[in-house]
């Protein structure tokens, strides 16, 4: 599956594209939350500063109002209505409302009658009586502060009881003071736009605390680059005013740019890595294809070489077979020759009878049948068979020894067979017999070549756990230690080019280890070479 994806470049580009899209989406949502959180923290700080700004204005006005309302001259002015108080305190050459940072001051007696209204010129009030009535009507009950709108202007409003400076005596009335709300300074300080609106927020996202205002509700409205705070100021469950504070989303905007830049950098880097990975895989696939082709060519050459070796091995086996047949037939042919000579002798002597002739013919037929059976035995032994069969190891050894019996007798070689465990396996019987034939023939050649006085070959069959062990041992003084590791190599022989091909033991190793999944090895003991064949015992 993976290889198919790698081979199809459109698929891998699709995977890269999907990965980049998924990464950008997840990383953007992950990091933007942090910037939004920072934006909220910064926005809340500015909101708190705005409320502190409003509270500070109320506090300043309240202090000034109490100073005048608890002044004995003010108390006396409410009682007797002496205009000298106004002349002394509010004429242009003395303290004015502008000096004490107020825009108006209204005096009301205990009967709720307006004693005096003082207004600065800059607020441009057309109807002072209407203005005064609006101010007085805006504060009810025990309310001390408020915000009032008059002629499109908004004013801080503070009310305080008029008492003596020592707070003795009855309340003579109320003093109303106020200041026009100007948010431009705050807007300039924070580079944000604060304005009054008539829209009351339907949803509350946050609540702020104030020293003078009972409840401050905030609703957030998000635009692309602007965070609008709709702020509702309430006293005694009455909405005084609604402010809109527009805060430029610098943190959010800069955060988005940083995230986009980061994602773009990572995406390009990942894309670069993917291209490197793709071309790395592509390059190695190309190398692998070339290597696979080389391996196929080498396997083809090796198979051709093996075919040649098998052909040469067969040729060598045929030569051995002819040699063994010659040994097997030598005695019968000699007997047959003597029988024929005996017929000629008795005939010439005149003593040949019909009975003697029949007996001689029967003996000749028996000899010929024996020779024919020898041919059948050799033919069955060397007949190729690529099918596995269930066979006993002793039976396979006996078949091999029957082929070599005459040759061994001819060279006076004693063969000892020791059956410790009579094992039955499921494998290639003919090929195993070929291996035995090669090893025993090599042992015979070594014994003859070294002119051993009492030549002996011993074959031992045993079982260790689930493995068959066949040992073939001779007393031909062993294999030279310098070449013992090379005897299973192709074309390696110690007999000379005229006497050996060097492929018998090589083919034996191929048969045992490649075809029969076993192991063949050779060692030396004090008498000679020991070939050890190990095969797994299988019954199916």
């Amino acid at each position: 599956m993976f290889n198919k994806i790698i081979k199809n470049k459109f698929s891998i580009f699709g995977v890269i594209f999907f990965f980049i899209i998924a990464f950008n989406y997840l990383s953007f949502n992950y990091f933007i939350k942090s910037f939004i959180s920072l934006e909220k923290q910064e926005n809340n700080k500015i909101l708190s500063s705005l409320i502190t700004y409003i509270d500070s204005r109320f506090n300043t006005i309240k202090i000034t109002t109490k100073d005048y309302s608890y002044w004995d001259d003010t108390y006396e002015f409410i009682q007797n209505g002496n205009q000298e108080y106004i002349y002394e305190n509010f004429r242009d050459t003395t303290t004015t409302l502008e000096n004490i940072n107020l825009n108006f001051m209204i005096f009301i007696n205990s009967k709720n009658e307006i004693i005096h209204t003082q207004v600065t010129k800059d607020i441009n009030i057309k109807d002072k009586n209407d203005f005064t009535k609006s101010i007085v009507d805006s504060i009810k009950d025990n309310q001390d502060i408020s915000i009032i709108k008059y002629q499109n202007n908004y004013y801080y409003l503070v009310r305080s009881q008029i008492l003596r400076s020592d707070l003795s005596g009855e309340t003579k009335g109320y003093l109303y003071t106020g200041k026009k709300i100007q948010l431009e300074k705050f807007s300039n300080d924070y580079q944000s736009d604060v304005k009054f609106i008539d829209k009351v927020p339907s949803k509350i996202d946050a609540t702020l605390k104030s020293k003078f205002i009972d409840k401050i509700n905030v609703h957030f409205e998000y635009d692309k680059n602007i965070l609008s705070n709709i702020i509702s100021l309430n006293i005694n469950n009455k909405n005084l005013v609604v402010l809109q504070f527009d805060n430029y989303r610098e943190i959010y905007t800069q955060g988005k740019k940083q995230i986009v830049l980061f994602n773009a950098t990572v995406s390009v880097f990942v894309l670069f890595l993917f291209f490197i990975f793709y071309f790395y895989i592509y390059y190695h696939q190309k190398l692998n294809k070339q290597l696979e082709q080389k391996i196929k060519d080498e396997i083809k050459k090796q198979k051709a070489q093996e075919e040649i070796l098998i052909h040469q091995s067969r040729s060598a086996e045929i030569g051995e077979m002819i040699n063994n047949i010659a040994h097997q037939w030598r005695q019968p042919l000699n007997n047959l020759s003597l029988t024929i000579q005996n017929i000629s002798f008795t005939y010439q002597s005149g003593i040949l009878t019909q009975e003697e002739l029949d007996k001689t013919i029967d003996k000749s037929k028996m000899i010929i049948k024996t020779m024919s059976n020898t041919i059948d035995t050799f033919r069955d032994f060397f007949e190729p068979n690529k099918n596995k069969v269930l066979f006993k190891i002793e039976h396979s050894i006996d078949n091999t020894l029957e082929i070599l019996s005459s040759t061994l007798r001819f060279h006076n070689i004693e063969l000892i067979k020791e059956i410790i465990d009579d094992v039955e396996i499921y494998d290639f019987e003919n090929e195993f017999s070929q291996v035995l034939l090669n090893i025993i023939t090599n042992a015979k050649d070594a014994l003859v070549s070294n002119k051993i006085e009492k030549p002996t070959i011993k074959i031992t069959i045993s079982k260790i756990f689930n493995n068959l062990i066949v040992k073939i041992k001779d007393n031909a003084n062993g294999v030279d230690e310098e070449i013992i590791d090379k005897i299973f190599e192709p074309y390696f022989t110690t007999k000379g080019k005229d006497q050996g091909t060097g492929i018998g033991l090589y083919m034996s190793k191929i048969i045992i280890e490649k075809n029969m999944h076993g192991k063949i090895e050779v060692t030396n003991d004090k008498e000679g070479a020991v070939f050890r064949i190990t095969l797994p015992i299988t019954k199916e």
Side-chain angles (χ1 to χ4, degrees):
M1 181 66 181
F2 180 74
N3 287 335
K4 290 182 179 179
I5 293 176
I6 292 297
K7 289 178 181 178
N8 190 341
K9 56 185 176 183
F10 295 105
S11 297
I12 194 168
F13 289 152
V15 170
I16 296 171
F17 181 75
F18 174 79
F19 175 82
I20 292 175
I21 293 296
F23 170 78
N24 278 266
Y25 174 79
L26 294 174
S27 65
F28 182 85
N29 283 279
Y30 176 79
F31 289 113
I32 202 66
K33 289 179 181 178
S34 299
F35 286 105
I36 290 175
S37 177
L38 289 174
E39 179 187 56
K40 286 183 178 179
Q41 292 176 15
E42 189 64 26
N43 185 67
N44 289 338
K45 288 180 182 179
I46 300 176
L47 283 175
S48 297
S49 299
L50 175 61
I51 301 307
T52 302
Y53 177 82
I54 294 173
D55 282 348
S56 67
R57 295 297 181 269
F58 270 121
N59 190 54
T60 301
I61 296 170
K62 190 171 184 178
I63 291 172
T64 303
T65 304
K66 281 190 175 184
D67 285 343
Y68 274 88
S69 63
Y70 293 167
W71 191 17
D72 290 336
D73 288 349
T74 304
Y75 192 85
E76 294 297 330
F77 170 69
I78 296 299
Q79 276 189 319
N80 55 35
N82 186 2
Q83 292 298 313
E84 186 178 348
Y85 171 83
I86 300 300
Y87 176 77
E88 290 294 333
N89 291 286
F90 298 108
R91 73 179 187 271
D92 291 340
T93 57
T94 61
T95 303
T96 63
L97 292 179
E98 287 87 347
N99 297 138
I100 57 177
N101 201 24
L102 292 175
N103 288 119
F104 63 85
M105 186 178 285
I106 303 171
F107 298 87
I108 305 291
N109 62 18
S110 57
K111 296 179 182 180
N112 206 30
E113 296 173 343
I114 299 172
I115 303 301
H116 178 74
T117 299
Q118 185 73 25
V119 180
T120 59
K121 296 178 181 180
D122 60 338
I123 60 174
N124 193 21
I125 299 300
K126 295 178 181 180
D127 189 342
K128 185 183 291 187
N129 292 331
D130 182 66
F131 174 73
T132 303
K133 186 178 183 302
S134 297
I135 295 296
V136 173
D137 292 341
S138 65
I139 295 184
K140 305 286 186 183
D141 303 326
N142 296 323
Q143 185 176 339
D144 292 329
I145 66 170
S146 183
I147 294 176
I148 183 173
K149 178 182 180 183
Y150 186 81
Q151 292 182 354
N152 296 322
N153 289 320
Y154 291 86
Y155 299 90
Y156 300 107
L157 179 58
V158 176
R159 184 180 74 168
S160 179
Q161 294 180 353
I162 297 175
L163 297 170
R164 290 186 183 277
S165 59
D166 60 358
L167 303 180
S168 63
E170 297 179 354
T171 300
K172 289 300 179 180
Y174 292 93
L175 177 61
Y176 291 79
T177 62
K179 173 71 177 173
K180 183 181 177 181
I181 300 176
Q182 295 176 323
L183 298 173
E184 291 81 1
K185 185 177 184 305
F186 181 85
S187 298
N188 292 333
D189 289 344
Y190 288 91
Q191 297 181 348
S192 301
D193 186 19
V194 183
K195 58 186 177 182
F196 296 98
I197 62 172
D198 296 327
K199 173 184 175 182
V200 178
S202 58
K203 183 180 178 182
I204 300 173
D205 296 315
T207 302
L208 303 177
K209 292 182 179 181
S210 169
K211 183 179 179 181
F212 297 101
I213 300 172
D214 295 344
K215 187 183 292 184
I216 301 176
N217 297 324
V218 184
H219 169 59
F220 304 123
E221 290 185 355
Y222 292 91
D223 195 2
K224 183 178 181 181
N225 296 318
I226 300 295
L227 170 57
S228 296
N229 300 273
I230 311 301
I231 309 164
S232 174
L233 282 64
N234 297 274
I235 294 179
N236 292 335
N237 294 323
K238 176 186 176 183
N239 180 56
L240 299 179
V241 69
V242 179
L243 300 172
Q244 179 174 330
F245 168 53
D246 292 336
N247 187 20
Y248 179 68
R249 305 183 70 183
E250 184 176 1
I251 294 176
Y252 175 78
T253 305
Q254 292 297 326
K256 279 202 307 184
K257 289 180 180 178
Q258 290 179 16
I259 295 172
V260 170
L261 179 62
F262 171 77
N263 284 351
T265 303
V266 173
S267 299
V268 170
F269 180 71
V270 170
L271 193 63
F272 178 71
L273 288 182
F274 265 103
F275 272 110
I276 291 178
F277 173 74
Y278 177 78
F279 284 111
Y280 174 81
I281 296 296
Y282 176 78
Y283 174 73
H284 276 268
Q285 281 188 335
K286 187 176 180 181
L287 288 181
N288 287 341
K289 285 182 179 179
Q290 294 175 351
L291 182 60
E292 286 175 3
Q293 188 59 44
K294 287 182 179 179
I295 291 173
K296 288 180 181 178
D297 294 341
E298 288 299 323
I299 291 174
K300 190 174 181 180
K301 290 179 181 179
Q302 186 177 359
K303 285 184 177 180
Q305 186 68 21
E306 286 182 0
E307 290 294 332
I308 294 172
L309 290 175
I310 291 172
H311 177 73
Q312 292 176 344
S313 176
R314 286 295 179 187
S315 299
E317 289 171 358
I318 290 171
E320 290 289 338
M321 179 183 68
I322 293 173
N323 185 49
N324 288 317
I325 290 174
H327 281 288
Q328 291 282 52
W329 276 9
R330 184 172 284 110
Q331 184 65 35
L333 284 173
N334 185 50
N335 291 337
L336 188 59
S337 175
L338 291 175
T339 301
I340 293 171
Q341 289 178 8
N342 187 48
I343 293 173
S344 175
F345 177 76
T346 54
Y347 176 75
Q348 291 175 0
S349 301
I351 58 176
L352 180 63
T353 64
Q354 186 63 40
E355 181 181 358
E356 189 68 25
L357 180 62
D358 291 340
K359 187 183 295 185
T360 302
I361 291 172
D362 290 340
K363 184 178 179 180
S364 299
K365 286 181 179 181
M366 183 182 67
I367 293 172
I368 293 171
K369 184 177 181 181
T370 301
M371 295 174 67
S372 177
N373 289 339
T374 300
I375 293 296
D376 291 338
T377 300
F378 276 83
R379 182 193 62 196
D380 293 340
F381 183 86
F382 287 98
E383 182 180 1
N385 186 2
K386 293 297 181 181
N387 296 322
K388 290 185 178 183
V389 295
L390 190 65
F391 66 96
K392 286 189 175 184
I393 296 299
E394 185 180 7
H395 178 264
S396 180
I397 292 174
D398 289 341
N399 287 342
T400 304
L401 295 179
E402 185 177 352
I403 298 296
L404 295 170
S405 58
S406 296
T407 302
L408 297 177
R409 285 197 302 269
F410 178 78
H411 293 290
N412 297 317
I413 297 173
E414 179 185 8
L415 194 137
I416 302 171
K417 186 174 67 174
E418 183 180 9
I419 310 298
I420 299 174
D421 297 292
D422 189 7
V423 182
E424 190 176 43
I425 65 171
Y426 181 78
D427 223 313
F428 300 104
E429 182 178 11
N430 277 14
E431 291 194 355
F432 180 71
S433 299
Q434 294 289 331
V435 173
L436 294 176
L437 180 67
N438 285 331
I439 296 173
I440 296 172
T441 299
N442 279 351
K444 179 262 297 182
D445 292 340
L447 291 168
V448 172
S449 175
N450 291 334
K451 299 178 180 179
I452 302 302
E453 185 176 349
K454 293 182 178 180
T456 304
I457 298 175
K458 183 179 181 180
I459 301 175
T460 306
I461 303 173
S462 62
K463 180 175 73 171
I464 298 178
F465 300 112
N466 199 38
N467 289 319
L468 162 70
I469 308 297
V470 178
K471 290 183 181 179
I472 304 169
K473 177 181 176 302
D474 61 53
N475 60 343
N477 298 328
V479 183
D480 191 344
E481 291 294 338
E482 292 183 358
I483 63 170
I484 195 170
D485 294 331
K486 299 180 181 180
I487 64 172
F488 291 111
E489 294 180 3
Y491 301 113
F492 181 82
T493 180
T494 59
K495 301 176 183 178
K497 294 182 179 180
D498 296 335
Q499 296 180 347
T501 61
I503 58 174
L505 291 180
Y506 170 74
M507 292 304 301
S508 298
K509 186 177 180 68
I510 294 295
I511 290 170
I512 294 298
E513 297 188 355
K514 183 177 179 181
N515 297 355
M516 303 181 74
H517 308 290
K519 186 176 182 181
I520 184 171
E521 52 192 343
V522 61
T523 57
N524 287 323
D525 67 3
K526 60 182 180 180
E527 294 182 342
V530 180
F531 282 84
R532 177 188 172 102
I533 299 173
T534 304
L535 292 174
I537 299 174
T538 56
K539 295 299 180 68
E540 59 180 20

